[in-house]
Amino acid sequence: MRDTINVLGVNIDNISFGYALEKAKQMLKTDGTSMIFTPNPEIVMAAYEDPEFKEILNSADMCTPDGIGVVYAAKILGTPLRERVAGFDLACGLLESISKTGESVFLFGAKPGIAEAARDKLYEKYPGLTVAGVQNGYFSDEDNDAIIKKINDSGANLLFVCLGAPKQEKWIYANKDKLNVNLCMGIGGALDVFSGNVKRAPEIFIKCNLEWLYRFCKNPSRLGRFAALPKFMLTVKKSAKDKNK
């Protein structure tokens, strides 16, 4: 039975990284198509304001707390989470695992050429990995069936969908029953990092839970997105206050 913590209506799994990785590995060997979403504060706030999106997140087989803000929010609400489980780290753990066990991954998203570059870098990092196929994230509704066929024909067990939230979660949810993969994960800009096009924060920032600050300093144009964090925390504090009345 899942142990989840409700953060502004989104059910976040109360799990460790190790448990999340083992659970994801099990999903890769289970019939049907499982879904893992990785909500950060921005995603949770979007779901709070969009009931349809919230329902989609809550339909996942696992929702990891991808963002220290979500962990802090759960603590404020009096229902603490064990730890942050970053979607990028979980994806890396899965890639390392399947490079040894023989399953394959399909990379879907980002600008033209990025998925191919990510594939090449991943081959260097994970010898033995099989990337069954790639597809950029620039497509129209008319292309959708062809993309699903391409994914299914590839024989991939694992599908990384990197279209950004909420598009990636909505795409996975809408197409889940058409896909033959065992596991779908929405992991945002991970292909840009895998390709080397974007650098992840240094280890010291990650350990100090300041990865968001590094990303902002590297790309101040993201100010509008980071502005969602204060709004999220204020909403959480109001929710906690209402809960304690």
Side-chain angles (χ1 to χ4, degrees):
M1 186 176 179
R2 286 173 66 186
D3 176 15
T4 60
I5 302 297
N6 188 294
V7 178
L8 299 186
V10 177
N11 296 322
I12 307 292
D13 285 81
N14 186 20
I15 49 179
S16 66
F17 175 81
Y19 179 90
L21 180 55
E22 288 306 311
K23 190 71 175 176
K25 289 179 186 178
Q26 289 175 19
M27 292 176 188
L28 272 177
K29 299 181 184 298
T30 303
D31 291 339
T33 301
S34 298
M35 301 184 297
I36 295 178
F37 298 143
T38 59
N40 58 21
E42 182 185 354
I43 291 174
V44 174
M45 195 66 216
Y48 179 76
E49 298 172 337
D50 179 352
E52 178 191 358
F53 185 35
K54 179 169 65 178
E55 185 177 336
I56 288 171
L57 292 181
N58 287 337
S59 73
D61 297 280
M62 185 161 65
C63 269
T64 70
D66 183 345
I68 195 62
V70 175
V71 176
Y72 287 156
K75 187 174 182 179
I76 291 169
L77 292 166
T79 51
L81 288 158
R82 284 181 175 84
E83 64 184 36
R84 178 192 178 207
V85 179
F88 183 86
D89 294 334
L90 184 57
C92 290
L94 281 172
L95 291 171
E96 182 174 5
S97 175
I98 68 173
S99 72
K100 299 170 183 175
T101 57
E103 292 94 350
S104 60
V105 62
F106 192 104
L107 309 176
F108 175 27
K111 295 178 180 178
I114 296 296
E116 289 85 353
R119 175 194 59 203
D120 295 343
K121 292 286 188 180
L122 290 174
Y123 279 152
E124 295 175 12
K125 185 173 183 180
Y126 303 105
L129 178 68
T130 299
V131 177
V134 298
Q135 169 64 46
N136 69 63
Y138 286 68
F139 63 98
S140 66
D141 290 342
E142 290 74 23
D143 301 323
N144 201 62
D145 287 345
I147 290 172
I148 291 171
K149 184 177 187 304
K150 183 178 180 180
I151 294 167
N152 288 340
D153 288 349
S154 77
N157 309 95
L158 173 62
L159 172 63
F160 286 159
V161 183
C162 305
L163 304 174
K167 185 176 180 179
Q168 62 195 13
E169 291 82 8
K170 291 185 176 182
W171 187 91
I172 292 171
Y173 181 79
N175 295 288
K176 176 186 175 183
D177 293 337
K178 303 175 187 176
L179 291 164
N180 294 336
V181 299
N182 298 88
L183 174 59
C184 293
M185 280 186 67
I187 51 173
L191 292 185
D192 285 302
V193 180
F194 288 147
S195 70
N197 191 48
V198 172
K199 299 295 183 185
R200 199 180 182 199
E203 192 69 23
I204 185 64
F205 281 82
I206 297 171
K207 287 183 176 180
C208 294
N209 296 313
L210 292 172
E211 193 170 0
W212 61 272
L213 179 61
Y214 177 85
R215 291 201 303 268
F216 173 66
C217 290
K218 295 292 288 185
N219 189 3
S221 64
R222 290 168 57 97
L223 177 61
R225 295 181 64 181
F226 285 110
L229 182 58
K231 184 179 181 181
F232 169 75
M233 295 308 298
L234 287 171
T235 306
V236 167
K237 289 179 179 179
K238 182 180 183 302
S239 179
K241 186 177 179 181
D242 292 343
K243 181 180 176 181
N244 294 326
K245 280 185 179 178

